[in-house]
């Protein structure tokens, strides 16, 4: 059986000191989770059996890597988020546009759907919500730092409410990703439009 | 059986022309749906049997009022939203604060949790998403009209992007309701803070 031999290979890798764990099996497992969630499977209903079957590995391979389903789900979310974006550090406006654009693209829309499928689970289980936040926090910290830099170098108002501004940049973006809340807001040029509107203000 | 007698009573009411349908049974059914969703039951897993049992009515009573589970879920969401808010029509800023505050309160936080539980279902089923939007659209139209009035009377910029501004007021609010996305943004004075930040702009 393929399943058993993949298991065995993974076992041998773990036992050999300094050898990396089987990255292909890891990727297949994570991808299986994301596929199942994106297909509308609720996190609640998602089973390790189904993940194992789809990834073509044994359940034992999954349990050797992740202690439980929650840990696996969180890793899948973190993987989908991709690497942390790095601001160029010149114009605060341009850095914010880059960070918002990194939140709003096809991959993130897919991610929004997956997160939507995770929500019932996240809201039911405080410990899972905490892990989820620990994946998100480094990302929002990057945006927080750009905003602080803007206040310090005078690009932004001295009395700016950093936390509220963070929410004003992320909230519309998350809502579009998850719900396509306002289909009348075009995707083309979204990040520039949002950042400039937040900077400029709506008052006459 | 109580169940049968409630069914019969409802039957008789429907048959008597001009008699209102049993509002108490309707309310009990809707409340049962919302209770089950708020308890973390996914819309997928929610059964008419469970709703009937919790509401203390027969399944037939539910099916006489709603053709299917989707219609019942949508009605439950609409009921939770409550009556449409009416702007006073004097200051655009004050009307926006009222509309945002109406989206962000304990009841709406509960509603956010319920919507989160409905999301996987909404995203899987275009016809359900369309009905959901038909519940939401009249509400966002009210805010749209306030923004248009502001542009016309000079309170807001002449070149204001109405659709984007709508998203900037609703997106952060929905994100807080559903995810408590930024716990560092206080609930106290939230609506005023958001509206004023949107109006004033972040640029120095």
């Amino acid at each position: 059986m393929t399943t058993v031999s993949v298991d065995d290979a993974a076992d041998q890798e773990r036992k050999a000191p300094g050898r990396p764990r089987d990255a292909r099996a890891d990727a297949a497992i994570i991808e299986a989770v994301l596929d199942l969630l994106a297909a509308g499977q609720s996190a609640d209903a998602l089973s390790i059996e189904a993940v194992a079957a789809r990834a073509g590995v044994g359940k034992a391979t999954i349990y050797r890597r992740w202690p439980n389903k929650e840990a696996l789900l969180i890793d899948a979310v973190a993987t989908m988020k991709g690497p942390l974006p790095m601001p160029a550090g010149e114009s605060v406006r341009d850095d914010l546009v880059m960070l918002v654009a990194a939140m709003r693209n096809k991959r993130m829309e897919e991610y929004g759907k997956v997160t939507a499928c995770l929500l019932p689970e996240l809201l039911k289980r405080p410990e899972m919500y905490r892990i989820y936040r620990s994946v998100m926090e480094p990302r929002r910290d990057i945006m927080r730092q750009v905003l602080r830099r803007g206040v310090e170098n005078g690009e932004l108002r001295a009395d700016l409410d950093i936390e509220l501004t963070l929410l004003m940049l992320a909230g519309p973006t998350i809502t579009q990703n998850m719900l396509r809340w306002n289909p009348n807001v075009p995707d083309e040029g979204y990040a520039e439009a949002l950042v400039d509107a937040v900077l400029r203000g709506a008052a006459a």
Side-chain angles (χ1 to χ4, degrees), chain A residues 29-66:
Chain A
I29 293 163
I30 293 283
E31 202 178 330
V33 173
L34 294 175
D35 285 351
L36 289 168
L37 290 174
Q41 175 87 77
S42 76
D44 226 4
L46 187 128
S47 70
I48 294 291
E49 282 84 355
V51 174
R54 195 176 184 112
V57 302
K59 278 173 61 177
T61 303
I62 299 182
Y63 280 120
R64 258 194 303 278
R65 291 160 156 79
W66 292 277

Side-chain angles (χ1 to χ4, degrees), chain A residues 21 23-24 27-28 33 36-37 48 71-72 82 85 87 90 122 124 133-134 137 140-141 148 154 160 164 181 194:
Chain A
R21 59 191 226 183
R24 264 176 323 156
V33 173
L36 289 168
L37 290 174
I48 294 291
L72 174 57
E90 296 181 9
L122 283 177
K124 251 185 298 179
R133 290 191 61 86
S134 74
E137 209 49 41
R140 57 182 82 173
D141 241 4
R148 284 207 194 102
L160 189 73
L164 182 62
W181 188 82
L194 177 67

Side-chain angles (χ1 to χ4, degrees), chain A residues 19 27 30 77 80-81 96 99 135 144 147 158 161 182:
Chain A
R19 289 274 300 280
I30 293 283
V77 169
M80 195 155 197
K81 273 281 186 189
L96 292 177
L99 291 171
V135 172
R144 214 174 249 133
L147 291 172
D161 183 333
N182 192 347

Side-chain angles (χ1 to χ4, degrees), chain A residues 107-158:
Chain A
R107 199 170 59 104
M108 284 299 110
E109 207 165 298
E110 208 47 49
Y111 164 81
K113 280 185 207 150
V114 169
T115 314
C117 296
L118 279 173
L119 273 184
E121 194 89 341
L122 283 177
L123 295 170
K124 251 185 298 179
R125 305 207 185 172
E127 85 282 8
M128 207 171 146
Y129 186 69
R130 266 195 302 276
I131 310 177
Y132 171 79
R133 290 191 61 86
S134 74
V135 172
M136 301 306 142
E137 209 49 41
R139 291 163 192 282
R140 57 182 82 173
D141 241 4
I142 292 175
M143 194 178 271
R144 214 174 249 133
Q145 282 158 21
V146 171
L147 291 172
R148 284 207 194 102
R149 199 180 88 223
V151 171
E152 278 156 23
N153 75 11
E155 279 185 75
L156 303 181
R157 317 168 59 93

